[in-house]
Amino acid sequence: MATLNSRYTFEHFIIGASNDLAAASAMAVAAQPGTAYNPFFLHGGTGLGKTHLMQAVAHDLIAQRPGTEVLYQSADEFVRDCVEAIAIGELDRFREAYDRADALLIDDVHAIAARPDVQAEFAAVFRALVGRGVQVMLTSDRPPAHVGADAALARSFALGRVAVVTGPSWEHRLAILEALRESRFAAEPAATALAPQ
């Protein structure tokens, strides 16, 4: 599992018109995993908060449901692990690790499409988990139909909720910068006044 950033929580996510549906959907997924929107597919450009929202879901699932097995990783990590499992003949062990998940969160899922063998393994994992009501959340820089997956898998990605994050307005950018400034200021130790000598 990839490491979660402690600041990537809902409390630190600044909501505006460019991401309000995505944020509300992510909160619903965290509150009702496997039932609210499954799968949940979040797409948009780089640096717009997709990973932040995905990790916020992971943080909430872990905090609200102790013992929950949340698998959060990048698609590149999935590809690397799958290729290694294929090479050493341990696909069964690879599949078992995903089969135990209570939630699967894959960042940048479009990276899986480059390898048909990996895509087939991912499709099997994806369908098995969603079929059992296990929450799956995916992010990409493009919508489901354009991730490069085979048509059936791409359609499956869109069966739950698809949300997009777009560039923030000027006011929203200012709110983000202000929140960042405040959080950095709060994290800095207070300056100690020196007594005159």
Side-chain angles (χ1 to χ4, degrees):
M1 181 168 129
T3 303
L4 296 174
N5 183 324
S6 62
R7 300 219 22 95
Y8 285 2
T9 63
F10 289 123
E11 293 77 22
H12 291 105
F13 190 79
I14 308 303
I15 298 174
S18 65
N19 61 22
D20 56 352
L21 176 63
S25 300
M27 289 176 193
V29 163
Q32 298 177 310
T35 58
Y37 304 114
N38 197 21
F40 177 37
F41 192 101
L42 181 58
H43 69 95
T46 302
L48 298 179
K50 299 183 304 293
T51 298
H52 187 141
L53 282 174
M54 179 173 272
Q55 289 196 23
V57 168
H59 281 296
D60 257 34
L61 290 175
I62 292 166
Q64 301 301 321
R65 295 167 176 77
T68 297
E69 182 75 25
V70 176
L71 284 179
Y72 163 73
Q73 66 182 164
S74 70
D76 287 336
E77 290 169 313
F78 183 94
V79 169
R80 183 196 65 228
D81 294 348
C82 186
V83 168
E84 182 179 317
I86 291 169
I88 62 175
E90 292 196 355
L91 268 176
D92 287 342
R93 185 184 298 178
F94 173 81
R95 291 172 184 148
E96 285 170 13
Y98 290 91
D99 195 49
R100 290 191 305 268
D102 295 312
L104 175 63
L105 289 70
I106 300 287
D107 215 353
D108 295 326
V109 73
H110 51 271
I112 290 172
R115 299 252 337 216
D117 52 347
V118 173
Q119 186 179 153
E121 287 300 322
F122 182 76
V125 166
F126 173 85
R127 290 185 176 117
L129 293 179
V130 171
R132 287 201 330 265
V134 172
Q135 182 65 54
V136 175
M137 181 176 177
L138 310 169
T139 69
S140 180
D141 61 1
R142 58 201 83 155
H146 300 290
V147 296
D150 71 66
L153 184 57
R155 282 192 301 274
S156 296
F157 288 167
L159 290 177
R161 166 62 63 95
V162 176
V164 63
V165 288
T166 59
S169 66
W170 175 252
E171 293 80 9
H172 190 188
R173 288 178 194 200
L174 288 177
I176 293 168
L177 288 173
E178 179 63 22
L180 183 61
R181 185 189 70 76
E182 287 178 10
S183 68
R184 285 193 177 155
F185 181 73
E188 292 177 4
T192 304
L194 296 175
Q197 302 268 334

